[in-house]
PDB file of all heavy atoms in Angstrom:
ATOM      1  N   SER A 273      35.927  14.557  -6.627  1.00 91.00           N
ATOM      2  CA  SER A 273      36.464  14.477  -5.269  1.00 91.00           C
ATOM      3  C   SER A 273      35.612  13.589  -4.367  1.00 91.00           C
ATOM      4  O   SER A 273      36.126  12.944  -3.453  1.00 91.00           O
ATOM      5  CB  SER A 273      36.552  15.878  -4.656  1.00 91.00           C
ATOM      6  OG  SER A 273      37.428  16.693  -5.395  1.00 91.00           O
ATOM      7  N   ILE A 274      34.310  13.567  -4.630  1.00 91.00           N
ATOM      8  CA  ILE A 274      33.402  12.742  -3.821  1.00 91.00           C
ATOM      9  C   ILE A 274      33.474  11.283  -4.239  1.00 91.00           C
ATOM     10  O   ILE A 274      33.595  10.387  -3.399  1.00 91.00           O
ATOM     11  CB  ILE A 274      31.956  13.269  -3.948  1.00 91.00           C
ATOM     12  CG1 ILE A 274      31.836  14.659  -3.325  1.00 91.00           C
ATOM     13  CG2 ILE A 274      30.961  12.300  -3.293  1.00 91.00           C
ATOM     14  CD1 ILE A 274      30.539  15.373  -3.651  1.00 91.00           C
ATOM     15  N   LEU A 275      33.411  11.045  -5.550  1.00 90.00           N
ATOM     16  CA  LEU A 275      33.327   9.669  -6.043  1.00 90.00           C
ATOM     17  C   LEU A 275      34.691   8.984  -6.130  1.00 90.00           C
ATOM     18  O   LEU A 275      34.818   7.809  -5.777  1.00 90.00           O
ATOM     19  CB  LEU A 275      32.644   9.648  -7.418  1.00 90.00           C
ATOM     20  CG  LEU A 275      31.214  10.180  -7.467  1.00 90.00           C
ATOM     21  CD1 LEU A 275      30.656  10.077  -8.881  1.00 90.00           C
ATOM     22  CD2 LEU A 275      30.321   9.412  -6.491  1.00 90.00           C
ATOM     23  N   ARG A 276      35.708   9.710  -6.615  1.00 91.00           N
ATOM     24  CA  ARG A 276      37.051   9.122  -6.802  1.00 91.00           C
ATOM     25  C   ARG A 276      38.094  10.099  -6.279  1.00 91.00           C
ATOM     26  O   ARG A 276      38.859  10.708  -7.063  1.00 91.00           O
ATOM     27  CB  ARG A 276      37.282   8.811  -8.286  1.00 91.00           C
ATOM     28  CG  ARG A 276      36.370   7.710  -8.824  1.00 91.00           C
ATOM     29  CD  ARG A 276      36.420   7.594 -10.331  1.00 91.00           C
ATOM     30  NE  ARG A 276      35.765   8.742 -10.966  1.00 91.00           N
ATOM     31  CZ  ARG A 276      34.458   8.783 -11.238  1.00 91.00           C
ATOM     32  NH1 ARG A 276      33.692   7.751 -10.934  1.00 91.00           N
ATOM     33  NH2 ARG A 276      33.930   9.847 -11.811  1.00 91.00           N
ATOM     34  N   PRO A 277      38.178  10.280  -4.976  1.00 91.00           N
ATOM     35  CA  PRO A 277      39.056  11.318  -4.400  1.00 91.00           C
ATOM     36  C   PRO A 277      40.523  11.121  -4.718  1.00 91.00           C
ATOM     37  O   PRO A 277      41.294  12.097  -4.730  1.00 91.00           O
ATOM     38  CB  PRO A 277      38.781  11.209  -2.901  1.00 91.00           C
ATOM     39  CG  PRO A 277      38.241   9.834  -2.699  1.00 91.00           C
ATOM     40  CD  PRO A 277      37.474   9.512  -3.939  1.00 91.00           C
ATOM     41  N   HIS A 278      40.962   9.902  -4.999  1.00 90.00           N
ATOM     42  CA  HIS A 278      42.377   9.658  -5.275  1.00 90.00           C
ATOM     43  C   HIS A 278      42.821  10.322  -6.585  1.00 90.00           C
ATOM     44  O   HIS A 278      44.013  10.551  -6.800  1.00 90.00           O
ATOM     45  CB  HIS A 278      42.653   8.156  -5.350  1.00 90.00           C
ATOM     46  CG  HIS A 278      41.719   7.414  -6.259  1.00 90.00           C
ATOM     47  ND1 HIS A 278      40.493   6.950  -5.831  1.00 90.00           N
ATOM     48  CD2 HIS A 278      41.828   7.082  -7.573  1.00 90.00           C
ATOM     49  CE1 HIS A 278      39.883   6.339  -6.848  1.00 90.00           C
ATOM     50  NE2 HIS A 278      40.668   6.412  -7.907  1.00 90.00           N
ATOM     51  N   ASN A 279      41.851  10.633  -7.472  1.00 91.00           N
ATOM     52  CA  ASN A 279      42.195  11.269  -8.750  1.00 91.00           C
ATOM     53  C   ASN A 279      42.481  12.763  -8.608  1.00 91.00           C
ATOM     54  O   ASN A 279      43.111  13.365  -9.479  1.00 91.00           O
ATOM     55  CB  ASN A 279      41.068  11.079  -9.769  1.00 91.00           C
ATOM     56  CG  ASN A 279      40.953   9.645 -10.236  1.00 91.00           C
ATOM     57  OD1 ASN A 279      41.893   8.860 -10.104  1.00 91.00           O
ATOM     58  ND2 ASN A 279      39.800   9.291 -10.788  1.00 91.00           N
ATOM     59  N   VAL A 280      41.952  13.367  -7.531  1.00 90.00           N
ATOM     60  CA  VAL A 280      42.144  14.816  -7.331  1.00 90.00           C
ATOM     61  C   VAL A 280      42.605  15.071  -5.905  1.00 90.00           C
ATOM     62  O   VAL A 280      42.111  15.963  -5.217  1.00 90.00           O
ATOM     63  CB  VAL A 280      40.835  15.590  -7.646  1.00 90.00           C
ATOM     64  CG1 VAL A 280      40.577  15.651  -9.145  1.00 90.00           C
ATOM     65  CG2 VAL A 280      39.646  14.973  -6.928  1.00 90.00           C
ATOM     66  N   LEU A 281      43.592  14.297  -5.466  1.00 90.00           N
ATOM     67  CA  LEU A 281      44.082  14.385  -4.095  1.00 90.00           C
ATOM     68  C   LEU A 281      44.694  15.762  -3.838  1.00 90.00           C
ATOM     69  O   LEU A 281      45.553  16.250  -4.598  1.00 90.00           O
ATOM     70  CB  LEU A 281      45.118  13.295  -3.843  1.00 90.00           C
ATOM     71  CG  LEU A 281      45.620  13.131  -2.415  1.00 90.00           C
ATOM     72  CD1 LEU A 281      44.467  12.734  -1.487  1.00 90.00           C
ATOM     73  CD2 LEU A 281      46.733  12.079  -2.373  1.00 90.00           C
ATOM     74  N   THR A 282      44.234  16.415  -2.766  1.00 91.00           N
ATOM     75  CA  THR A 282      44.732  17.749  -2.422  1.00 91.00           C
ATOM     76  C   THR A 282      46.184  17.669  -1.930  1.00 91.00           C
ATOM     77  O   THR A 282      46.555  16.747  -1.197  1.00 91.00           O
ATOM     78  CB  THR A 282      43.850  18.369  -1.327  1.00 91.00           C
ATOM     79  OG1 THR A 282      42.502  18.439  -1.802  1.00 91.00           O
ATOM     80  CG2 THR A 282      44.322  19.771  -0.972  1.00 91.00           C
ATOM     81  N   ALA A 283      46.968  18.640  -2.358  1.00 90.00           N
ATOM     82  CA  ALA A 283      48.389  18.665  -1.964  1.00 90.00           C
ATOM     83  C   ALA A 283      48.512  18.716  -0.441  1.00 90.00           C
ATOM     84  O   ALA A 283      47.805  19.468   0.232  1.00 90.00           O
ATOM     85  CB  ALA A 283      49.072  19.883  -2.587  1.00 90.00           C
ATOM     86  N   GLY A 284      49.410  17.885   0.106  1.00 90.00           N
ATOM     87  CA  GLY A 284      49.662  17.865   1.536  1.00 90.00           C
ATOM     88  C   GLY A 284      48.849  16.841   2.303  1.00 90.00           C
ATOM     89  O   GLY A 284      48.979  16.742   3.528  1.00 90.00           O
ATOM     90  N   TYR A 285      48.009  16.064   1.585  1.00 89.00           N
ATOM     91  CA  TYR A 285      47.163  15.071   2.263  1.00 89.00           C
ATOM     92  C   TYR A 285      47.344  13.691   1.633  1.00 89.00           C
ATOM     93  O   TYR A 285      47.652  13.553   0.440  1.00 89.00           O
ATOM     94  CB  TYR A 285      45.690  15.475   2.193  1.00 89.00           C
ATOM     95  CG  TYR A 285      45.389  16.702   3.029  1.00 89.00           C
ATOM     96  CD1 TYR A 285      45.410  17.966   2.453  1.00 89.00           C
ATOM     97  CD2 TYR A 285      45.106  16.581   4.380  1.00 89.00           C
ATOM     98  CE1 TYR A 285      45.152  19.101   3.215  1.00 89.00           C
ATOM     99  CE2 TYR A 285      44.847  17.711   5.149  1.00 89.00           C
ATOM    100  CZ  TYR A 285      44.874  18.963   4.571  1.00 89.00           C
ATOM    101  OH  TYR A 285      44.624  20.066   5.346  1.00 89.00           O
ATOM    102  N   GLU A 286      47.159  12.660   2.464  1.00 89.00           N
ATOM    103  CA  GLU A 286      47.281  11.290   1.989  1.00 89.00           C
ATOM    104  C   GLU A 286      45.935  10.790   1.454  1.00 89.00           C
ATOM    105  O   GLU A 286      44.876  11.359   1.728  1.00 89.00           O
ATOM    106  CB  GLU A 286      47.764  10.379   3.132  1.00 89.00           C
ATOM    107  CG  GLU A 286      49.142  10.760   3.657  1.00 89.00           C
ATOM    108  CD  GLU A 286      49.588   9.828   4.780  1.00 89.00           C
ATOM    109  OE1 GLU A 286      48.805   8.897   5.115  1.00 89.00           O
ATOM    110  OE2 GLU A 286      50.693  10.031   5.314  1.00 89.00           O
TER     111      GLU A 286
END
Side-chain angles (χ1 to χ4, degrees):
S273 298
I274 294 168
L275 299 181
R276 294 169 289 272
H278 50 274
N279 290 340
V280 286
L281 187 63
T282 301
Y285 291 94
E286 298 180 0

